[in-house]
Amino acid sequence: ARRRPPPKPPPPLTPPLTPPFLPSPFLPSPPSPPPTACGGTTLLLPLFPLSPLPPPPPLPPPPSRPPSPPPNRCLEAQLLQAPAADFGPCSHLRLAELRRQSLRGASFDGVDMRGALLDGADLRGASMRSAVMAGASARGARLEGAVMVSSSLSHANLSRASLRGADLTMAAGEGASFEAADLSDASLLVATLRRGLWAGADLQRAKLAHADLSHGDFRSADFRGAVLTDASFRSANVEAADFRGAIDTHRAHWEGAVGSPIGIELDMFLHVGL
């Protein structure tokens, strides 16, 4: 009788896979299947990386403080000669710290003082001819009798400063602030100070002939006794400004001015085209 072949052993049992199959970082990845008949390859990508994530990059260092400006030796030397110091030889006084300094009668002729801090400084009788004071701050400074002929005052802040009798003839600049400043008896002849802030300023008896003050804010400013010959208030706000006793108001230019000033009938000037 023929002997029967021995039965084939059963295939090894493999544990069922429970979806989703989450490979462990401690187990090797399953091998890729062999190429198919068409030459393609079926890739089985793990759902999560098998290796741990790299550590996060270190935080950037904190920003360093900007370096301090180099000392201005000329400024320091002249301050020793205060109050009547002569800053003319200095190349510049940009961003100079002069708050509450006593500089009465000092000379700043032609000096670049952009961004200088002069708040509360005593500058009575100081000479500032052709000084460049763009962006400078002189809030509450004493500038009585100061000579600021042809000075540049773009965006300078002279609010609440005392400029009684100061000479600002031919001063120029846009956006300067003279809010609540005392400019009584000051001279602003032929000055060009457009878009300035003059609210509450005292301009009694000031000389404003041929000055260009257009687009300015003159709310509640005091012009009593001021000389306004050919001064320009075009497009200015003169609400509650006091022009009683002002000289040559009819010769000033008021086109586009708004508000209800005291002492003049603005509608009358606008009607005749002044």
Side-chain angles (χ1 to χ4, degrees):
R2 296 181 60 183
R3 297 179 61 181
R4 295 182 179 181
K8 294 182 180 181
L13 297 177
T14 56
L17 298 178
T18 42
F21 171 59
L22 301 179
S24 170
F26 302 103
L27 297 177
S29 300
S32 300
T36 61
C38 298
T41 302
T42 304
L43 297 179
L44 178 62
L45 298 178
L47 298 179
F48 297 97
L50 300 180
S51 59
L53 293 176
L59 295 176
S64 58
R65 298 180 62 182
S68 301
N72 192 326
R73 302 301 183 189
C74 180
L75 171 62
E76 295 173 357
Q78 291 303 321
L79 285 176
L80 297 176
Q81 310 298 323
D86 183 6
F87 295 92
C90 298
S91 59
H92 71 84
L93 293 178
R94 293 191 294 271
L95 305 176
E97 173 57 78
L98 296 169
R99 286 179 286 191
R100 293 177 292 278
Q101 290 283 347
S102 178
L103 299 167
R104 188 171 184 174
S107 175
F108 298 89
D109 293 342
V111 176
D112 183 354
M113 303 175 67
R114 285 177 287 181
L117 301 176
L118 300 155
D119 301 334
D122 186 355
L123 294 159
R124 287 175 288 176
S127 180
M128 304 172 118
R129 292 179 176 88
S130 301
V132 181
M133 299 180 65
S137 178
R139 294 175 297 175
R142 299 196 63 180
L143 288 152
E144 296 100 319
V147 180
M148 303 172 70
V149 176
S150 300
S151 57
S152 175
L153 300 173
S154 292
H155 302 287
N157 189 348
L158 291 99
S159 58
R160 300 188 180 279
S162 179
L163 292 133
R164 289 195 306 270
D167 190 354
L168 286 86
T169 299
M170 293 187 292
E174 291 202 3
S177 175
F178 294 91
E179 290 182 301
D182 184 357
L183 291 123
S184 55
D185 299 298
S187 174
L188 288 91
L189 299 171
V190 204
T192 305
L193 296 167
R194 303 185 187 99
R195 304 184 189 280
L197 303 176
W198 307 79
D202 185 354
L203 291 147
Q204 294 185 72
R205 302 174 302 280
K207 302 174 184 66
L208 303 170
H210 306 282
D212 185 354
L213 306 174
S214 55
H215 300 275
D217 181 1
F218 294 96
R219 288 174 295 174
S220 301
D222 191 347
F223 290 91
R224 288 177 293 176
V227 179
L228 307 180
T229 310
D230 279 327
S232 175
F233 291 92
R234 293 181 174 93
S235 301
N237 186 346
V238 291
E239 177 65 33
D242 194 346
F243 289 92
R244 289 176 294 180
I247 299 170
D248 283 346
T249 53
H250 63 287
R251 297 180 62 183
H253 303 277
W254 305 94
E255 300 92 27
V258 297
S260 301
I262 302 170
I264 61 172
E265 293 293 337
L266 191 59
D267 292 340
M268 180 182 67
F269 295 131
L270 298 177
H271 180 71
V272 298
L274 294 176

